[in-house]
Amino acid sequence: MLLMNMPSAAEEIAKPDVSAVTMNMSPNQCVAMTEGQTCYVDVEFSWQSSTVLDVCLFHSSQKTPLKCWNQATKGEYEYDFASNKNVTFTLRRIDDLSILGQQELEMAWVHKKRGKPTNWWRIF
Amino acid sequence: MEKFNLNRMIQSTFLISSLGLVSVNSFAQQTSSQENVPVVESKKSLEQVASEEKSKLGTNSGSTAESHKKEDDEWQDYKKQFEQANPFYEIKFNDDYSAYKVIESKDDLDMSEDDESLIKVSEDDVFYIRRVGDWQETKPKKRKKRVRFVWNDEEESYEDCWNFGKVSCNARDGFHYAFSFVSSGGDDFYQESGEATDIKSYASYRIQIASFFVETPGMATRRIHGLYAGRAWGFNFYNTDQWRLDLYKQRDTRGIRDLEGIQVRNKRTRAGLRLTGFFDSSLLQMNVSPYSTSDQKDDGVAASISYSHFWQLRNLSIYGSAGVQYQPKEVVSFYETQPASFAEREDRINQDVELGFEYPISKHWVFGGFAAYSRTNLAIPGVSSLEQVNSTEDKVDGFRSGLLLSLVF
């Protein structure tokens, strides 16, 4: 029930309470060899708060939470997944789904596909 | 006309942002009840409109200048009607492409997440993107190109050609560059001992400006170079999305440095035509070289074909390459301890296979490794160094392997 009511990113108006919660993610980037390839990454999350919280960690492309914590002041989570586009991870309060912290995982690559060269403007 | 859906749009995030576009054009139909709020038209109805109008125009087509002018006028009318019925709106997406807003003035470019004018994107929405300037093409024979709404991941954008303009645009202009530290060992045809171990550092690259290129292949540029590509310069005169056709002239007869010991060399540099095919997970390169700088009466024709296939195992990229090269008797061999008379020379067939891997440590650092095997005819009498290797009666073969760390741009 909680998840069905989760607002979309466009509707999101709640401001993260960054002063109370610290959220960390490592790594922040996943690199595949060629543009468009699926990138595989094992991400580690951690959060810490000065107050006791009921929170869930969400992945931007799925509505079900990855992990929830009840009455906790800190948490850790390890997540092994694959994607070919950037992914945002969000820590939300369980009661009102307000955002407490957010981290973006960038999907990057070494080579453009099909032998296409690096553009000259990338030099500058 | 190209369209893209939400998924494709999100996949194209990098392209949009890298082009520095402040907005893109959305093909949207305005409704009477929601002023300035675009409702995205379905693909079916849009195609129906275009098809009907095209068929109308097609009945009036002719080959004379007058008929072209008439067609052009009709086309202009159609274009106006089409835009009136299906107006374009400039829109701007938010950061995660989950919503957009219609841009009517520069003030609208400012956007915040709680902007009330944001319109949520649904997965059923279809957006049409056109390039600025497409409507400016007026030559009758290019009519088909006028409706060139381009958003195609496979196609280069104008911005890729920013420095030379649209006229001289070559989507292959740009560069591949890698600086590698390599440790390799194995057989060496050209050493008296028959084998060698090396630690080297060198650059491998292809640099192309206004279709002219200069290149030095290496183990780190296997994705663009076939097994028989050597140091060369030339002109890239034809391209499709998958194929590249080059006229080239070798700068010297050396091959890829870490395989130099087991790669046969020409007696002189050569020139020719090279066709390279780039596919989703493979590379095909064919090469014909009818010209040599030697002063022999006949230059002979050398030819080669090589194929590489790439596999992905999580973030590890594994490749396998195989190739065959034909060298006429006019070009063999580079190392002759005693010049052989022409009558004693023979054509030579070289066969090569290579296995390798690449692992991206970061966007610019790649760790890799390779193992290569080469086999060739021992076609030249009096080549003492070749005989040091595992030669049988008329063939010689060699093996090399190595590890490399490359800085890639």
Side-chain angles (χ1 to χ4, degrees), chain A residues 8-10 29 31 33-34 38-40 80 107 111 113-121, chain B residues 14 96 113 154 156 160 162 172-176 208 223 241 278 280 312 314-315 360 363:
Chain A
S8 72
Q29 188 182 64
V31 185
M33 278 307 296
T34 308
T38 299
C39 197
Y40 296 81
D80 190 7
M107 298 295 160
H111 299 290
K113 59 184 170 185
R114 289 186 177 170
K116 287 181 179 168
T118 302
N119 306 127
W120 289 109
W121 53 262
Chain B
F14 281 111
D96 62 1
E113 282 299 318
E154 309 301 323
E156 291 295 324
D160 288 337
W162 64 276
R172 302 276 181 198
D173 282 356
F175 66 93
H176 296 266
Q208 182 169 313
R223 286 169 185 276
D241 188 44
F278 299 96
D280 284 340
Q312 184 186 6
R314 287 184 68 91
N315 294 336
K363 281 172 75 172

mmCIF file of all heavy atoms in Angstrom, chain A residues 8-10 29 31 33-34 38-40 80 107 111 113-121, chain B residues 14 96 113 154 156 160 162 172-176 208 223 241 278 280 312 314-315 360 363:
data_model
loop_
_atom_site.group_PDB
_atom_site.id
_atom_site.type_symbol
_atom_site.label_atom_id
_atom_site.label_comp_id
_atom_site.label_asym_id
_atom_site.label_seq_id
_atom_site.Cartn_x
_atom_site.Cartn_y
_atom_site.Cartn_z
ATOM 1 N N SER A 8 5.649 10.337 -8.172
ATOM 2 C CA SER A 8 6.684 10.272 -9.203
ATOM 3 C C SER A 8 7.664 11.407 -8.966
ATOM 4 O O SER A 8 7.422 12.317 -8.188
ATOM 5 C CB SER A 8 6.057 10.435 -10.575
ATOM 6 O OG SER A 8 5.649 11.765 -10.726
ATOM 7 N N ALA A 9 8.790 11.344 -9.698
ATOM 8 C CA ALA A 9 9.814 12.375 -9.542
ATOM 9 C C ALA A 9 9.276 13.752 -9.920
ATOM 10 O O ALA A 9 9.640 14.769 -9.335
ATOM 11 C CB ALA A 9 11.017 12.024 -10.396
ATOM 12 N N ALA A 10 8.391 13.774 -10.939
ATOM 13 C CA ALA A 10 7.866 15.050 -11.402
ATOM 14 C C ALA A 10 6.966 15.695 -10.361
ATOM 15 O O ALA A 10 6.883 16.916 -10.267
ATOM 16 C CB ALA A 10 7.091 14.840 -12.679
ATOM 17 N N GLN A 29 30.031 5.612 -10.009
ATOM 18 C CA GLN A 29 30.058 5.463 -11.465
ATOM 19 C C GLN A 29 30.299 3.998 -11.834
ATOM 20 O O GLN A 29 31.075 3.309 -11.173
ATOM 21 C CB GLN A 29 31.200 6.328 -12.038
ATOM 22 C CG GLN A 29 31.228 6.427 -13.542
ATOM 23 C CD GLN A 29 32.415 7.249 -14.020
ATOM 24 O OE1 GLN A 29 33.569 6.872 -13.819
ATOM 25 N NE2 GLN A 29 32.133 8.377 -14.632
ATOM 26 N N VAL A 31 31.418 1.685 -15.180
ATOM 27 C CA VAL A 31 31.999 1.867 -16.509
ATOM 28 C C VAL A 31 31.971 0.555 -17.294
ATOM 29 O O VAL A 31 32.493 -0.466 -16.842
ATOM 30 C CB VAL A 31 33.450 2.373 -16.422
ATOM 31 C CG1 VAL A 31 33.990 2.684 -17.816
ATOM 32 C CG2 VAL A 31 33.542 3.608 -15.553
ATOM 33 N N MET A 33 32.729 -1.130 -21.338
ATOM 34 C CA MET A 33 33.689 -0.854 -22.407
ATOM 35 C C MET A 33 33.073 -0.047 -23.537
ATOM 36 O O MET A 33 33.710 0.826 -24.103
ATOM 37 C CB MET A 33 34.266 -2.161 -22.970
ATOM 38 C CG MET A 33 35.398 -2.752 -22.171
ATOM 39 S SD MET A 33 36.771 -1.625 -21.817
ATOM 40 C CE MET A 33 37.379 -1.279 -23.460
ATOM 41 N N THR A 34 31.826 -0.360 -23.903
ATOM 42 C CA THR A 34 31.248 0.263 -25.086
ATOM 43 C C THR A 34 29.897 0.893 -24.777
ATOM 44 O O THR A 34 29.109 0.344 -24.005
ATOM 45 C CB THR A 34 31.067 -0.791 -26.200
ATOM 46 O OG1 THR A 34 32.310 -1.461 -26.382
ATOM 47 C CG2 THR A 34 30.671 -0.136 -27.508
ATOM 48 N N THR A 38 25.268 -2.956 -21.124
ATOM 49 C CA THR A 38 24.819 -3.037 -19.737
ATOM 50 C C THR A 38 26.037 -3.025 -18.822
ATOM 51 O O THR A 38 27.031 -3.694 -19.089
ATOM 52 C CB THR A 38 24.018 -4.338 -19.537
ATOM 53 O OG1 THR A 38 22.881 -4.293 -20.396
ATOM 54 C CG2 THR A 38 23.567 -4.474 -18.108
ATOM 55 N N CYS A 39 25.940 -2.243 -17.782
ATOM 56 C CA CYS A 39 27.059 -2.152 -16.843
ATOM 57 C C CYS A 39 26.675 -2.868 -15.545
ATOM 58 O O CYS A 39 25.565 -2.708 -15.037
ATOM 59 C CB CYS A 39 27.375 -0.683 -16.565
ATOM 60 S SG CYS A 39 28.998 -0.447 -15.827
ATOM 61 N N TYR A 40 27.584 -3.654 -15.036
ATOM 62 C CA TYR A 40 27.332 -4.437 -13.824
ATOM 63 C C TYR A 40 28.086 -3.807 -12.652
ATOM 64 O O TYR A 40 29.276 -3.513 -12.772
ATOM 65 C CB TYR A 40 27.811 -5.882 -14.026
ATOM 66 C CG TYR A 40 27.043 -6.610 -15.104
ATOM 67 C CD1 TYR A 40 27.362 -6.437 -16.445
ATOM 68 C CD2 TYR A 40 25.992 -7.454 -14.776
ATOM 69 C CE1 TYR A 40 26.652 -7.087 -17.445
ATOM 70 C CE2 TYR A 40 25.278 -8.107 -15.756
ATOM 71 C CZ TYR A 40 25.613 -7.922 -17.091
ATOM 72 O OH TYR A 40 24.901 -8.567 -18.069
ATOM 73 N N ASP A 80 23.791 -5.535 -5.838
ATOM 74 C CA ASP A 80 24.468 -5.938 -7.073
ATOM 75 C C ASP A 80 23.434 -5.905 -8.205
ATOM 76 O O ASP A 80 22.433 -6.625 -8.145
ATOM 77 C CB ASP A 80 25.031 -7.356 -6.908
ATOM 78 C CG ASP A 80 25.955 -7.731 -8.050
ATOM 79 O OD1 ASP A 80 26.248 -6.858 -8.880
ATOM 80 O OD2 ASP A 80 26.362 -8.904 -8.112
ATOM 81 N N MET A 107 26.149 5.775 -15.367
ATOM 82 C CA MET A 107 26.587 4.695 -16.242
ATOM 83 C C MET A 107 27.456 5.309 -17.346
ATOM 84 O O MET A 107 26.986 6.170 -18.098
ATOM 85 C CB MET A 107 25.387 3.988 -16.868
ATOM 86 C CG MET A 107 24.490 3.326 -15.840
ATOM 87 S SD MET A 107 25.340 1.991 -14.974
ATOM 88 C CE MET A 107 24.319 1.830 -13.509
ATOM 89 N N HIS A 111 34.416 3.468 -24.843
ATOM 90 C CA HIS A 111 34.364 3.700 -26.290
ATOM 91 C C HIS A 111 32.938 3.967 -26.754
ATOM 92 O O HIS A 111 31.986 3.364 -26.244
ATOM 93 C CB HIS A 111 34.864 2.477 -27.052
ATOM 94 C CG HIS A 111 36.273 2.110 -26.752
ATOM 95 N ND1 HIS A 111 37.340 2.872 -27.157
ATOM 96 C CD2 HIS A 111 36.795 1.057 -26.078
ATOM 97 C CE1 HIS A 111 38.462 2.304 -26.736
ATOM 98 N NE2 HIS A 111 38.155 1.208 -26.085
ATOM 99 N N LYS A 113 30.080 3.425 -29.592
ATOM 100 C CA LYS A 113 29.847 2.174 -30.301
ATOM 101 C C LYS A 113 30.157 2.283 -31.791
ATOM 102 O O LYS A 113 30.187 3.359 -32.351
ATOM 103 C CB LYS A 113 28.435 1.684 -30.067
ATOM 104 C CG LYS A 113 27.330 2.615 -30.494
ATOM 105 C CD LYS A 113 26.006 1.986 -30.080
ATOM 106 C CE LYS A 113 24.869 2.965 -30.240
ATOM 107 N NZ LYS A 113 23.616 2.402 -29.726
ATOM 108 N N ARG A 114 30.319 1.127 -32.383
ATOM 109 C CA ARG A 114 30.574 1.000 -33.818
ATOM 110 C C ARG A 114 31.738 1.861 -34.320
ATOM 111 O O ARG A 114 31.644 2.494 -35.360
ATOM 112 C CB ARG A 114 29.318 1.335 -34.600
ATOM 113 C CG ARG A 114 28.269 0.247 -34.452
ATOM 114 C CD ARG A 114 27.096 0.512 -35.326
ATOM 115 N NE ARG A 114 26.141 -0.584 -35.218
ATOM 116 C CZ ARG A 114 24.930 -0.540 -35.733
ATOM 117 N NH1 ARG A 114 24.532 0.501 -36.392
ATOM 118 N NH2 ARG A 114 24.126 -1.548 -35.616
ATOM 119 N N GLY A 115 32.787 1.886 -33.578
ATOM 120 C CA GLY A 115 34.010 2.523 -34.044
ATOM 121 C C GLY A 115 33.928 4.013 -34.219
ATOM 122 O O GLY A 115 34.780 4.612 -34.883
ATOM 123 N N LYS A 116 32.897 4.640 -33.656
ATOM 124 C CA LYS A 116 32.792 6.086 -33.831
ATOM 125 C C LYS A 116 33.826 6.784 -32.961
ATOM 126 O O LYS A 116 34.078 6.369 -31.834
ATOM 127 C CB LYS A 116 31.371 6.537 -33.518
ATOM 128 C CG LYS A 116 30.435 6.105 -34.626
ATOM 129 C CD LYS A 116 29.034 6.528 -34.429
ATOM 130 C CE LYS A 116 28.217 6.043 -35.626
ATOM 131 N NZ LYS A 116 26.779 6.156 -35.422
ATOM 132 N N PRO A 117 34.399 7.830 -33.495
ATOM 133 C CA PRO A 117 35.506 8.454 -32.777
ATOM 134 C C PRO A 117 35.032 9.392 -31.681
ATOM 135 O O PRO A 117 33.863 9.762 -31.627
ATOM 136 C CB PRO A 117 36.215 9.254 -33.875
ATOM 137 C CG PRO A 117 35.112 9.623 -34.813
ATOM 138 C CD PRO A 117 34.149 8.473 -34.793
ATOM 139 N N THR A 118 35.971 9.767 -30.850
ATOM 140 C CA THR A 118 35.705 10.820 -29.878
ATOM 141 C C THR A 118 35.598 12.135 -30.642
ATOM 142 O O THR A 118 36.367 12.392 -31.555
ATOM 143 C CB THR A 118 36.865 10.894 -28.863
ATOM 144 O OG1 THR A 118 36.973 9.613 -28.239
ATOM 145 C CG2 THR A 118 36.604 11.948 -27.814
ATOM 146 N N ASN A 119 34.620 12.956 -30.276
ATOM 147 C CA ASN A 119 34.450 14.231 -30.970
ATOM 148 C C ASN A 119 35.527 15.219 -30.553
ATOM 149 O O ASN A 119 35.975 15.217 -29.413
ATOM 150 C CB ASN A 119 33.072 14.818 -30.645
ATOM 151 C CG ASN A 119 31.975 13.819 -30.944
ATOM 152 O OD1 ASN A 119 31.159 13.520 -30.111
ATOM 153 N ND2 ASN A 119 31.997 13.261 -32.144
ATOM 154 N N TRP A 120 35.865 16.057 -31.503
ATOM 155 C CA TRP A 120 36.937 17.016 -31.233
ATOM 156 C C TRP A 120 36.614 17.930 -30.068
ATOM 157 O O TRP A 120 37.482 18.311 -29.300
ATOM 158 C CB TRP A 120 37.211 17.853 -32.485
ATOM 159 C CG TRP A 120 37.868 17.041 -33.538
ATOM 160 C CD1 TRP A 120 37.339 16.610 -34.715
ATOM 161 C CD2 TRP A 120 39.200 16.517 -33.499
ATOM 162 N NE1 TRP A 120 38.236 15.858 -35.408
ATOM 163 C CE2 TRP A 120 39.393 15.788 -34.689
ATOM 164 C CE3 TRP A 120 40.241 16.588 -32.570
ATOM 165 C CZ2 TRP A 120 40.575 15.150 -34.973
ATOM 166 C CZ3 TRP A 120 41.422 15.952 -32.869
ATOM 167 C CH2 TRP A 120 41.577 15.243 -34.055
ATOM 168 N N TRP A 121 35.334 18.290 -29.943
ATOM 169 C CA TRP A 121 35.013 19.260 -28.895
ATOM 170 C C TRP A 121 35.223 18.709 -27.500
ATOM 171 O O TRP A 121 35.267 19.438 -26.531
ATOM 172 C CB TRP A 121 33.596 19.801 -29.050
ATOM 173 C CG TRP A 121 32.518 18.774 -29.141
ATOM 174 C CD1 TRP A 121 31.935 18.294 -30.266
ATOM 175 C CD2 TRP A 121 31.877 18.096 -28.057
ATOM 176 N NE1 TRP A 121 30.982 17.357 -29.969
ATOM 177 C CE2 TRP A 121 30.920 17.222 -28.612
ATOM 178 C CE3 TRP A 121 32.011 18.141 -26.671
ATOM 179 C CZ2 TRP A 121 30.114 16.412 -27.840
ATOM 180 C CZ3 TRP A 121 31.207 17.317 -25.904
ATOM 181 C CH2 TRP A 121 30.277 16.475 -26.495
ATOM 182 N N PHE B 14 22.450 11.373 -22.378
ATOM 183 C CA PHE B 14 23.795 11.896 -22.564
ATOM 184 C C PHE B 14 23.895 12.723 -23.828
ATOM 185 O O PHE B 14 24.539 13.741 -23.868
ATOM 186 C CB PHE B 14 24.796 10.743 -22.645
ATOM 187 C CG PHE B 14 25.134 10.191 -21.308
ATOM 188 C CD1 PHE B 14 24.717 8.932 -20.960
ATOM 189 C CD2 PHE B 14 25.833 10.947 -20.405
ATOM 190 C CE1 PHE B 14 25.026 8.416 -19.727
ATOM 191 C CE2 PHE B 14 26.153 10.447 -19.168
ATOM 192 C CZ PHE B 14 25.739 9.175 -18.829
ATOM 193 N N ASP B 96 15.585 14.280 -14.834
ATOM 194 C CA ASP B 96 15.468 12.831 -14.994
ATOM 195 C C ASP B 96 14.458 12.455 -16.095
ATOM 196 O O ASP B 96 14.047 11.301 -16.203
ATOM 197 C CB ASP B 96 15.091 12.158 -13.661
ATOM 198 C CG ASP B 96 13.734 12.632 -13.151
ATOM 199 O OD1 ASP B 96 13.099 13.461 -13.841
ATOM 200 O OD2 ASP B 96 13.328 12.192 -12.070
ATOM 201 N N GLU B 113 11.855 21.747 -9.758
ATOM 202 C CA GLU B 113 11.122 20.479 -9.635
ATOM 203 C C GLU B 113 9.653 20.689 -9.266
ATOM 204 O O GLU B 113 8.801 19.877 -9.551
ATOM 205 C CB GLU B 113 11.803 19.581 -8.594
ATOM 206 C CG GLU B 113 13.052 18.883 -9.106
ATOM 207 C CD GLU B 113 12.761 17.958 -10.285
ATOM 208 O OE1 GLU B 113 11.743 17.243 -10.252
ATOM 209 O OE2 GLU B 113 13.543 17.968 -11.248
ATOM 210 N N GLU B 154 21.702 5.950 -33.747
ATOM 211 C CA GLU B 154 22.739 5.442 -34.637
ATOM 212 C C GLU B 154 23.321 6.548 -35.506
ATOM 213 O O GLU B 154 24.326 6.363 -36.174
ATOM 214 C CB GLU B 154 22.167 4.364 -35.561
ATOM 215 C CG GLU B 154 21.413 3.271 -34.833
ATOM 216 C CD GLU B 154 22.289 2.556 -33.840
ATOM 217 O OE1 GLU B 154 23.465 2.368 -34.148
ATOM 218 O OE2 GLU B 154 21.804 2.213 -32.759
ATOM 219 N N GLU B 156 24.866 10.336 -36.397
ATOM 220 C CA GLU B 156 25.629 11.417 -35.812
ATOM 221 C C GLU B 156 24.837 12.712 -35.874
ATOM 222 O O GLU B 156 24.032 12.927 -36.768
ATOM 223 C CB GLU B 156 26.948 11.592 -36.586
ATOM 224 C CG GLU B 156 27.900 10.452 -36.391
ATOM 225 C CD GLU B 156 28.375 10.346 -34.956
ATOM 226 O OE1 GLU B 156 28.565 11.363 -34.290
ATOM 227 O OE2 GLU B 156 28.536 9.198 -34.499
ATOM 228 N N ASP B 160 28.531 16.945 -34.069
ATOM 229 C CA ASP B 160 29.755 16.185 -34.247
ATOM 230 C C ASP B 160 30.647 16.804 -35.309
ATOM 231 O O ASP B 160 31.804 16.451 -35.449
ATOM 232 C CB ASP B 160 29.433 14.742 -34.656
ATOM 233 C CG ASP B 160 28.854 13.984 -33.484
ATOM 234 O OD1 ASP B 160 29.108 14.404 -32.341
ATOM 235 O OD2 ASP B 160 28.155 12.998 -33.715
ATOM 236 N N TRP B 162 30.886 20.204 -35.792
ATOM 237 C CA TRP B 162 30.782 21.633 -35.522
ATOM 238 C C TRP B 162 31.945 22.424 -36.103
ATOM 239 O O TRP B 162 31.795 23.569 -36.476
ATOM 240 C CB TRP B 162 30.717 21.877 -34.016
ATOM 241 C CG TRP B 162 31.963 21.463 -33.299
ATOM 242 C CD1 TRP B 162 32.277 20.227 -32.860
ATOM 243 C CD2 TRP B 162 33.078 22.296 -32.977
ATOM 244 N NE1 TRP B 162 33.499 20.218 -32.271
ATOM 245 C CE2 TRP B 162 34.023 21.475 -32.323
ATOM 246 C CE3 TRP B 162 33.382 23.639 -33.155
ATOM 247 C CZ2 TRP B 162 35.232 21.967 -31.866
ATOM 248 C CZ3 TRP B 162 34.590 24.117 -32.695
ATOM 249 C CH2 TRP B 162 35.507 23.289 -32.057
ATOM 250 N N ARG B 172 32.887 10.401 -39.215
ATOM 251 C CA ARG B 172 34.046 9.658 -38.703
ATOM 252 C C ARG B 172 35.181 10.593 -38.301
ATOM 253 O O ARG B 172 36.217 10.122 -37.848
ATOM 254 C CB ARG B 172 34.560 8.681 -39.759
ATOM 255 C CG ARG B 172 33.516 7.680 -40.229
ATOM 256 C CD ARG B 172 33.412 6.487 -39.325
ATOM 257 N NE ARG B 172 32.425 5.539 -39.828
ATOM 258 C CZ ARG B 172 31.877 4.591 -39.094
ATOM 259 N NH1 ARG B 172 32.216 4.441 -37.837
ATOM 260 N NH2 ARG B 172 30.985 3.776 -39.601
ATOM 261 N N ASP B 173 35.015 11.902 -38.513
ATOM 262 C CA ASP B 173 36.043 12.829 -38.052
ATOM 263 C C ASP B 173 36.099 12.784 -36.536
ATOM 264 O O ASP B 173 35.069 12.752 -35.860
ATOM 265 C CB ASP B 173 35.712 14.264 -38.497
ATOM 266 C CG ASP B 173 36.046 14.510 -39.960
ATOM 267 O OD1 ASP B 173 36.606 13.603 -40.602
ATOM 268 O OD2 ASP B 173 35.746 15.610 -40.454
ATOM 269 N N GLY B 174 37.286 12.826 -36.013
ATOM 270 C CA GLY B 174 37.462 12.745 -34.570
ATOM 271 C C GLY B 174 38.722 11.955 -34.291
ATOM 272 O O GLY B 174 39.592 11.834 -35.166
ATOM 273 N N PHE B 175 38.819 11.430 -33.117
ATOM 274 C CA PHE B 175 40.049 10.703 -32.815
ATOM 275 C C PHE B 175 39.809 9.518 -31.889
ATOM 276 O O PHE B 175 38.850 9.502 -31.108
ATOM 277 C CB PHE B 175 41.089 11.636 -32.190
ATOM 278 C CG PHE B 175 40.699 12.159 -30.828
ATOM 279 C CD1 PHE B 175 41.102 11.513 -29.685
ATOM 280 C CD2 PHE B 175 39.922 13.296 -30.708
ATOM 281 C CE1 PHE B 175 40.735 11.972 -28.432
ATOM 282 C CE2 PHE B 175 39.552 13.777 -29.455
ATOM 283 C CZ PHE B 175 39.965 13.115 -28.316
ATOM 284 N N HIS B 176 40.664 8.553 -32.034
ATOM 285 C CA HIS B 176 40.819 7.472 -31.061
ATOM 286 C C HIS B 176 42.270 7.587 -30.605
ATOM 287 O O HIS B 176 43.167 7.704 -31.439
ATOM 288 C CB HIS B 176 40.634 6.094 -31.703
ATOM 289 C CG HIS B 176 39.262 5.852 -32.239
ATOM 290 N ND1 HIS B 176 38.280 5.226 -31.520
ATOM 291 C CD2 HIS B 176 38.717 6.138 -33.436
ATOM 292 C CE1 HIS B 176 37.188 5.135 -32.244
ATOM 293 N NE2 HIS B 176 37.420 5.677 -33.415
ATOM 294 N N GLN B 208 41.428 11.856 -37.370
ATOM 295 C CA GLN B 208 40.823 12.203 -38.664
ATOM 296 C C GLN B 208 40.244 13.612 -38.614
ATOM 297 O O GLN B 208 39.427 13.936 -37.763
ATOM 298 C CB GLN B 208 39.725 11.193 -39.016
ATOM 299 C CG GLN B 208 39.099 11.469 -40.382
ATOM 300 C CD GLN B 208 38.199 10.337 -40.850
ATOM 301 O OE1 GLN B 208 38.565 9.164 -40.778
ATOM 302 N NE2 GLN B 208 37.024 10.682 -41.352
ATOM 303 N N ARG B 223 39.470 -2.237 -31.516
ATOM 304 C CA ARG B 223 38.069 -2.016 -31.861
ATOM 305 C C ARG B 223 37.885 -1.272 -33.167
ATOM 306 O O ARG B 223 36.793 -1.228 -33.716
ATOM 307 C CB ARG B 223 37.381 -1.219 -30.751
ATOM 308 C CG ARG B 223 37.124 -2.037 -29.565
ATOM 309 C CD ARG B 223 36.704 -1.241 -28.373
ATOM 310 N NE ARG B 223 36.609 -2.150 -27.248
ATOM 311 C CZ ARG B 223 35.535 -2.884 -26.990
ATOM 312 N NH1 ARG B 223 34.475 -2.774 -27.721
ATOM 313 N NH2 ARG B 223 35.543 -3.719 -25.979
ATOM 314 N N ASP B 241 26.512 4.077 -41.790
ATOM 315 C CA ASP B 241 26.512 3.884 -40.356
ATOM 316 C C ASP B 241 27.428 2.737 -39.951
ATOM 317 O O ASP B 241 28.052 2.753 -38.897
ATOM 318 C CB ASP B 241 25.077 3.607 -39.892
ATOM 319 C CG ASP B 241 24.985 3.591 -38.376
ATOM 320 O OD1 ASP B 241 25.577 4.492 -37.757
ATOM 321 O OD2 ASP B 241 24.336 2.692 -37.837
ATOM 322 N N PHE B 278 31.791 -1.874 -39.074
ATOM 323 C CA PHE B 278 31.607 -1.828 -37.615
ATOM 324 C C PHE B 278 30.198 -2.310 -37.296
ATOM 325 O O PHE B 278 29.223 -1.704 -37.724
ATOM 326 C CB PHE B 278 31.770 -0.391 -37.105
ATOM 327 C CG PHE B 278 33.128 0.195 -37.378
ATOM 328 C CD1 PHE B 278 33.339 0.988 -38.495
ATOM 329 C CD2 PHE B 278 34.186 -0.047 -36.530
ATOM 330 C CE1 PHE B 278 34.587 1.532 -38.753
ATOM 331 C CE2 PHE B 278 35.437 0.494 -36.775
ATOM 332 C CZ PHE B 278 35.638 1.295 -37.897
ATOM 333 N N ASP B 280 27.501 -4.290 -34.173
ATOM 334 C CA ASP B 280 27.255 -4.147 -32.739
ATOM 335 C C ASP B 280 28.321 -4.830 -31.885
ATOM 336 O O ASP B 280 28.758 -4.302 -30.890
ATOM 337 C CB ASP B 280 25.878 -4.708 -32.383
ATOM 338 C CG ASP B 280 24.778 -3.743 -32.801
ATOM 339 O OD1 ASP B 280 25.092 -2.549 -32.997
ATOM 340 O OD2 ASP B 280 23.636 -4.178 -32.952
ATOM 341 N N GLN B 312 30.741 -9.853 -24.085
ATOM 342 C CA GLN B 312 30.738 -9.172 -22.790
ATOM 343 C C GLN B 312 30.481 -10.171 -21.679
ATOM 344 O O GLN B 312 29.515 -10.944 -21.728
ATOM 345 C CB GLN B 312 29.659 -8.086 -22.756
ATOM 346 C CG GLN B 312 29.681 -7.273 -21.473
ATOM 347 C CD GLN B 312 28.534 -6.286 -21.371
ATOM 348 O OE1 GLN B 312 27.648 -6.262 -22.210
ATOM 349 N NE2 GLN B 312 28.543 -5.460 -20.329
ATOM 350 N N ARG B 314 30.011 -9.720 -17.820
ATOM 351 C CA ARG B 314 29.858 -8.578 -16.907
ATOM 352 C C ARG B 314 30.561 -7.380 -17.552
ATOM 353 O O ARG B 314 30.257 -7.086 -18.698
ATOM 354 C CB ARG B 314 30.375 -8.913 -15.504
ATOM 355 C CG ARG B 314 29.411 -9.866 -14.769
ATOM 356 C CD ARG B 314 29.845 -10.129 -13.358
ATOM 357 N NE ARG B 314 29.735 -8.961 -12.490
ATOM 358 C CZ ARG B 314 28.662 -8.677 -11.769
ATOM 359 N NH1 ARG B 314 27.604 -9.460 -11.802
ATOM 360 N NH2 ARG B 314 28.645 -7.630 -10.978
ATOM 361 N N ASN B 315 31.456 -6.708 -16.856
ATOM 362 C CA ASN B 315 32.081 -5.534 -17.488
ATOM 363 C C ASN B 315 33.365 -5.881 -18.231
ATOM 364 O O ASN B 315 34.059 -4.996 -18.733
ATOM 365 C CB ASN B 315 32.363 -4.457 -16.431
ATOM 366 C CG ASN B 315 31.086 -3.908 -15.844
ATOM 367 O OD1 ASN B 315 30.033 -3.971 -16.490
ATOM 368 N ND2 ASN B 315 31.150 -3.396 -14.630
ATOM 369 N N PRO B 360 37.508 -2.256 -18.098
ATOM 370 C CA PRO B 360 37.567 -0.816 -17.817
ATOM 371 C C PRO B 360 37.746 -0.533 -16.330
ATOM 372 O O PRO B 360 36.855 -0.805 -15.528
ATOM 373 C CB PRO B 360 36.193 -0.323 -18.310
ATOM 374 C CG PRO B 360 35.286 -1.491 -18.165
ATOM 375 C CD PRO B 360 36.121 -2.723 -18.342
ATOM 376 N N LYS B 363 36.727 5.414 -16.866
ATOM 377 C CA LYS B 363 36.364 5.820 -18.226
ATOM 378 C C LYS B 363 37.592 5.962 -19.116
ATOM 379 O O LYS B 363 37.487 5.922 -20.333
ATOM 380 C CB LYS B 363 35.627 7.156 -18.193
ATOM 381 C CG LYS B 363 34.173 7.036 -17.807
ATOM 382 C CD LYS B 363 33.538 8.376 -17.591
ATOM 383 C CE LYS B 363 33.252 9.100 -18.882
ATOM 384 N NZ LYS B 363 32.464 10.335 -18.641
#
